[in-house]
Amino acid sequence: DKSFHLAAGVIGGWKMGSITKQKWESGGEKNQYRNKADYNLSPFTLDATARLGYRNFTVFATYGITPLFQKDKGPEVYPVTVGLQIIPF
């Protein structure tokens, strides 16, 4: 019932594709636009992750070790994700 848990590790990823999708309404008419492109995103990612929890609640964070965009094709950005996971079972 009273479980404390801690986890840390590395997550790898491979970009299979990129798409943007826009939906809007103009003059009562619904419109949609989809575009598949490379967007200069890195094809492979490597993220460090940590999770800390008690019972049904877990706080997690992920930090990008590799940049989001390819070298010299965009700003040097490293993605960060922080969240709360609630599991009632």
Side-chain angles (χ1 to χ4, degrees):
D1 284 339
K2 297 179 182 179
S3 65
F4 170 78
H5 48 279
L6 174 67
V10 178
I11 300 171
W14 169 56
K15 179 184 62 127
M16 294 175 57
S18 303
I19 188 170
T20 60
K21 184 176 181 181
Q22 297 174 337
K23 291 183 176 183
W24 70 94
E25 189 174 323
S26 177
E29 184 178 328
K30 293 183 179 181
N31 300 293
Q32 180 175 326
Y33 174 74
R34 292 175 55 137
N35 187 31
K36 284 187 175 184
D38 180 286
Y39 301 109
N40 297 323
L41 296 171
S42 297
F44 299 99
T45 60
L46 195 59
D47 301 329
T49 186
R51 298 169 190 272
L52 175 64
Y54 181 70
R55 289 190 176 178
N56 298 333
F57 300 94
T58 302
V59 176
F60 65 89
T62 303
Y63 177 77
I65 298 171
T66 56
L68 180 63
F69 296 103
Q70 296 173 9
K71 187 173 179 151
D72 299 327
K73 293 190 176 181
E76 191 171 341
V77 177
Y78 295 89
V80 175
T81 304
V82 178
L84 174 66
Q85 180 177 344
I86 303 171
I87 302 177
F89 51 88

